[in-house]
């Protein structure tokens, strides 16, 4: 049996499944990944732009980065990988998709048992009064000002050095602990604590499979790998389950 058949067989007998996704699942929707080729912004590493310190120093520059990302998200459409994950959740009594992505494409594809670990590019909040706004419309001034108190708003995104949303993180950990099959899809597994979910699942005895054309630092710890783009592999898995 190859890894694909072992994964399908593990899924056939599972009632509890969880998935961790990263930027790779949205690559086939035309959204750039963070690391590797093209993963730079104006010559800077994401680790230098996506921090509270960078925002404090030059909020307009950070917002220019997010305006570009908001435009990408506005124009992007879910791909067959997103759609297959939304279908997959219907097949298991317990299923949680924990995404590191902020582009909203899993929700737009129909995923409902979903937690967003790193926030959402569709939302922003006021740094003073926490008032929230939600849209992808082009912004007139950068940084946008709060309609209530006039202070500046920031993207509702988890930057380096910031804690993950408490409830989303708790749900993702619980799902990793109790999953029989855990899928790690389209992530370099370099950013923690999210990458640690795969380790929690492996420690708890789950069959952990990676779906990624490339190897990652955590690949040696997993039960197996499908080395294909997620937009190909996930529909193939779904079709095998339905056969
Ligand atoms: C395909 C494909 C296809 C291509 N199909 N696959 C040293 C050691 C350990 C940890 C740390 C450390 N120093 C600092 C830390 C902590 C830090 C961290 O992990 N840093 C590491 C980089 C070293 N983490 C944090 O700071 C986190 N917070 C935290 O720890 O808080 C502690 C705390 C507690 C209590 C109080 C206060 C604090 C927060 C991390 C937030 C990360 N946020 C970002 C936001 C970016 C901004 C934005 O989106 O606008 O989230 S960073 C960025 O990386 C983004 C992503 O979600 C995240 C993960 O990236 P991802 O998704 O894996 O993408 P890539 O590009 O890396 O990989 C893509 C993969 O897809 C590749 O493998 C391709 O092969 C594959 N692929 N095409 C399938 N078609
Ligand atoms: Zn305000």
């Amino acid at each position: 049996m190859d890894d694909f058949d072992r994964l399908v067989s593990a899924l056939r007998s599972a009632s509890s499944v969880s998935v961790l996704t990263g930027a790779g699942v949205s690559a086939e929707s035309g959204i750039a990944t963070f690391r590797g080729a093209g993963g730079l912004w104006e010559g800077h590493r994401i680790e230098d732009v996506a921090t509270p310190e960078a925002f404090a120093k030059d909020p307009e520059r950070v917002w220019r980065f997010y305006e570009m990302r908001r435009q990408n998200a506005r124009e992007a459409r879910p791909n067959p990988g997103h759609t297959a994950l939304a279908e997959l959740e219907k097949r298991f009594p317990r299923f949680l998709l924990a995404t590191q992505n902020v582009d909203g494409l899993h929700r737009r594809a129909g995923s409902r048992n979903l937690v967003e670990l790193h926030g959402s590019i569709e939302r922003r909040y006021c740094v003073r009064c926490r008032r929230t706004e939600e849209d992808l419309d082009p912004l007139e001034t950068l940084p946008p000002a709060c309609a209530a108190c006039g202070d500046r708003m920031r993207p509702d995104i988890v930057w380096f050095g910031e804690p993950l949303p408490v409830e989303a993180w708790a749900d993702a950990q619980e799902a990793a602990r109790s999953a029989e099959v855990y899928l790690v899809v389209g992530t370099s597994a370099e950013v923690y604590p999210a990458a640690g979910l795969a380790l929690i699942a492996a420690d708890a005895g789950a069959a952990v499979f990676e779906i990624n054309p490339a190897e990652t630092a955590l690949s040696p710890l997993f039960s197996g790998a499908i080395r294909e783009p997620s937009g190909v592999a996930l529909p193939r898995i779904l079709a095998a389950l339905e056969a």
Side-chain angles (χ1 to χ4, degrees), residues 125-131 145-153:
Y125 66 88
C126 170
V127 296
R128 186 196 301 256
C129 74
R130 298 266 152 177
R131 186 174 163 281
C146 172
C149 79
D151 211 328
R152 65 170 77 125
M153 302 194 86

Side-chain angles (χ1 to χ4, degrees), residues 133-145:
E133 289 177 3
E134 192 163 349
D135 63 53
L136 282 176
D137 303 338
L139 295 166
E140 274 164 30
T141 53
L142 300 181

Side-chain angles (χ1 to χ4, degrees), residues 3 17 20 57 74 100 117 131 157 160 194 199 231 237-238 243:
D3 283 3
V17 172
L20 172 68
K57 198 168 145 220
R74 188 160 61 233
Q100 300 170 82
L117 298 171
R131 186 174 163 281
I157 293 212
F160 285 105
L199 304 177
I237 292 164
L238 189 68

